[in-house]
Amino acid sequence: MAQQPSLGEFLQAIPTKAPQASILQQRFEGLGIDPASSLYTKTALIVRAIDGLFATYGSLERYHAEWIQGWVLEQLTPAEFKEMAQIVFQSWVTPERLEGPGIPHIHKANDAIGAAIVAYAKRTRWPLHVLDLGAGTLGTTGHIAARLAQAGMAAHISAVEFTPALLAIAGERAARINQQAAAIQVAIINADMVGYLSQAESASVDFVTCSYALHHLHPTDQLATISAAYRCLRPGGAFLIADPQEGKSDFNLKVLLCEEPEAVFAIFSSPEQMAARLRETGFAPVEVLLRDDEHYTGYAVAGRLAS
Ligand SMILES: C[S@@+](CC[C@H](N)C(=O)[O-])C[C@H]1O[C@@H](n2cnc3c(N)ncnc32)[C@H](O)[C@@H]1O
């Protein structure tokens, strides 16, 4: 594997202009980031470098995904990671995405999280309090609600989200879930998940979930979220995380990194890395609920607390 060049070194080595704007470039410009802002300057350089990778190598290798992560870390502060997440998700809502079938491996991970909560919850009090971080349009909350309802369990689910376009859809979907089953009540909380969790009461939640959202945080905030979840959980509780597996799936290399700014400004981990962080924080046992070592689509892990 070639040694990682800094962003500056790499940009100097590539042709100055691509012949035409790539899909990634077009979508990036469509995000509407103020061109006079330093956020725009930094993120536009990364997008140019990714176009440069495609122009130079034709397609991306796994180590290129690591270079891109290195450049993103080199450029963006923790606050800018959050700003980018909100910007990319504000543009995410389209009728095709809302009405479409969704991404199968994300559904699978969300269902695995719901099933694990039902299995773990057998030994906790009622109604459960579940905190779903980065709730989006309630993909994770919906799977958890369905699994709990099927098992005859009662729960209050607090779904934390901070992107206005997604909050609007989440509100409609929560109203529908709340009408369907009185035992499962969902409340939408408009907040940054890191700030919200840091203020939450200690030992006040049975389960914290964060599905396909943790990679949008700077590593410092990823660790802060794990520590805060540990503090907020009651005995017998668990923190359940699902995320893309190391960002090196073929889907990521061949599709997402050529087209989706959302996949660019993110920091991915392996199941081992995430499990180790959970263990180092004090969670025991830590269980890998699913992983995909063939296509690297995604994984889910659970850090548990003794009853
Ligand atoms: C890929 S979506 C996943 C949604 C849902 N968990 C699912 O699996 O369907 C990631 C969500 O995390 C939200 N998000 C990212 N960073 C966040 C933060 N700091 N605070 C709150 N929400 C955040 C985004 O706005 C987006 O809706």
Side-chain angles (χ1 to χ4, degrees):
M1 172 175 121
Q3 207 191 335
Q4 154 117 42
S6 72
L7 183 59
E9 283 162 354
F10 184 72
L11 286 170
Q12 273 187 348
I14 58 168
T16 46
K17 261 200 168 164
Q20 64 191 50
S22 64
I23 299 175
L24 181 65
Q25 183 81 46
Q26 290 170 33
R27 294 210 176 148
F28 171 73
E29 294 300 340
L31 295 176
I33 306 173
D34 176 3
S37 66
S38 79
L39 183 68
Y40 179 89
T41 309
K42 292 173 176 191
T43 49
L45 285 179
I46 293 165
V47 169
R48 213 179 101 208
I50 295 174
D51 283 350
L53 284 174
F54 280 103
T56 312
Y57 299 96
S59 63
L60 299 189
E61 299 293 332
R62 287 177 180 171
Y63 68 88
H64 292 136
E66 281 163 30
W67 288 11
I68 295 167
Q69 282 203 173
W71 296 334
V72 171
L73 270 180
E74 197 187 298
Q75 294 291 312
L76 300 192
T77 63
E80 286 168 336
F81 265 81
K82 289 183 193 168
E83 212 180 326
M84 276 310 283
Q86 212 171 33
I87 290 169
V88 295
F89 281 106
Q90 186 62 15
S91 304
W92 185 87
V93 178
T94 60
E96 300 76 54
R97 277 182 168 142
L98 285 178
E99 282 145 34
I103 299 175
H105 62 260
I106 299 187
H107 281 307
K108 199 169 154 188
N110 284 333
D111 193 49
I113 285 177
I117 290 179
V118 168
Y120 299 161
K122 298 217 162 100
R123 279 176 287 144
T124 56
R125 67 172 98 180
W126 308 101
L128 298 175
H129 182 199
V130 181
L131 194 54
D132 182 26
L133 305 174
T137 53
L138 301 197
T140 316
T141 295
H143 275 281
I144 297 169
R147 283 280 187 173
L148 288 172
Q150 206 179 33
M153 294 176 172
H156 290 151
I157 308 179
S158 305
V160 183
E161 175 55 53
F162 75 165
T163 302
L166 301 184
L167 279 164
I169 317 277
E172 290 163 19
R173 292 189 173 171
R176 238 175 290 150
I177 295 173
N178 294 347
Q179 272 173 0
Q180 275 163 10
I184 311 285
Q185 290 298 305
V186 178
I188 305 297
I189 294 166
N190 177 359
D192 157 38
M193 60 188 179
V194 184
Y196 183 82
L197 199 60
S198 74
Q199 301 290 316
E201 208 180 309
S202 297
S204 61
V205 185
D206 295 296
F207 296 100
V208 180
T209 60
C210 189
S211 178
Y212 284 79
L214 204 61
H215 60 287
H216 293 294
L217 297 177
H218 185 282
T220 309
D221 276 338
Q222 292 193 18
L223 283 180
T225 302
I226 295 173
S227 297
Y230 183 75
R231 183 184 58 74
C232 293
L233 282 165
R234 292 177 178 143
F239 184 24
L240 303 103
I241 300 168
D243 234 4
Q245 197 160 316
E246 294 147 286
K248 65 184 187 185
S249 66
D250 284 346
F251 183 53
N252 193 52
L253 297 174
K254 295 192 177 129
V255 181
L256 296 181
L257 288 173
C258 341
E259 298 183 1
E260 297 286 354
E262 186 253 313
V264 172
F265 301 99
I267 299 297
F268 304 102
S269 306
S270 65
E272 288 77 17
Q273 288 167 327
M274 199 54 83
R277 279 175 213 140
L278 288 167
R279 268 187 217 104
E280 281 155 21
T281 306
F283 285 101
V286 173
E287 291 170 3
V288 177
L289 304 175
L290 64 87
R291 57 185 298 156
D292 173 5
D293 290 336
E294 194 181 346
H295 300 294
Y296 298 96
T297 48
Y299 69 95
V301 292
R304 302 179 63 184
L305 293 185
S307 303

